[in-house]
Amino acid sequence: MTVHHYIGSPYELPTGSFGTKETLVPLSEVSSFNRNSKKEKIITIYEKEDAYGISINRLTDGYSDIKHVFTLPYIYELSCDTHPKSIRELFTYIEEQLIEGCHMELYSGLDGDEADEKDLSLDMSINLKTLYFGKYYKLDKKKYIYELGEMFKFEDKQFVVVVK
């Protein structure tokens, strides 16, 4: 089944794609398939991890049942791969957008289970000011985004509060 991720905020967030780095090149540079064509085709390529990023989109009507999980007014759909670079991009985005003294909320759930209750045993917090991941793990001040990319994993029906 498809797992959907969501992000809640106390204020509107910028939408779109973040963290990917694409390059447009003529198809003839990467393949001999199109060499004799009069109209050169342009394709998108990515170097190694550059394809991993996140996408923030307004919540579509079909997923509005998810709002009951959040305490914040602005809820967005979050496209985020499980790859560590995608998770790093997510926390970089949150770090850049989150105003000190505020918090954002993350939630993951299976498609079709939007009306279900969250699993309270999976609730966790991440404090970007004190650098605590959960209650007991202290993140390194210089590499906490990298550490979050390696350690954080989305779980079904998990609710995460990120504080700054």
Side-chain angles (χ1 to χ4, degrees):
M1 291 190 105
T2 303
V3 176
H4 292 276
H5 310 297
Y6 306 91
I7 185 169
S9 174
Y11 42 81
E12 288 193 49
L13 294 173
T15 57
S17 294
F18 303 90
T20 57
K21 184 179 171 189
E22 59 187 37
T23 305
L24 299 175
V25 297
L27 180 59
S28 62
E29 285 186 23
V30 293
S31 171
S32 59
F33 172 73
N34 199 37
R35 292 207 191 270
N36 297 329
S37 177
K38 290 180 181 178
K39 185 176 180 187
E40 182 72 52
K41 290 186 184 244
I42 304 296
I43 62 167
T44 302
I45 62 168
Y46 297 93
E47 298 292 329
K48 294 188 181 185
E49 292 188 349
D50 289 344
Y52 294 104
I54 63 167
S55 180
I56 308 285
N57 298 299
R58 299 213 179 274
L59 191 64
T60 55
D61 291 337
Y63 294 98
S64 60
D65 285 346
I66 203 67
K67 289 181 180 180
H68 74 94
V69 172
F70 291 89
T71 65
L72 298 171
Y74 296 94
I75 314 302
Y76 299 86
E77 292 179 41
L78 165 66
S79 294
C80 183
D81 201 337
T82 59
H83 192 278
K85 181 167 182 297
S86 291
I87 302 298
R88 288 192 304 269
E89 293 298 340
L90 170 62
F91 285 104
T92 297
Y93 175 86
I94 291 172
E95 176 68 51
E96 291 171 353
Q97 300 304 320
L98 189 55
I99 296 170
E100 193 166 329
C102 292
H103 75 277
M104 288 187 185
E105 300 167 342
L106 301 171
Y107 184 74
S108 295
L110 293 175
D111 190 29
D113 291 350
E114 290 79 19
D116 290 359
E117 293 301 316
K118 59 187 172 183
D119 184 341
L120 298 176
S121 70
L122 296 175
D123 283 6
M124 73 171 321
S125 65
I126 299 170
N127 191 317
L128 298 179
K129 187 170 185 169
T130 63
L131 297 176
Y132 270 92
F133 178 68
K135 291 181 182 179
Y136 307 108
Y137 188 82
K138 179 84 166 157
L139 298 163
D140 185 288
K141 186 177 184 177
K142 293 181 180 176
K143 58 181 183 176
Y144 68 96
I145 296 289
Y146 178 81
E147 289 179 315
L148 287 169
E150 295 299 313
M151 296 171 29
F152 182 81
K153 303 289 182 236
F154 285 107
E155 295 203 39
D156 182 34
K157 294 183 177 51
Q158 180 182 41
F159 187 74
V160 180
V161 175
V162 183
V163 179
K164 186 172 186 184

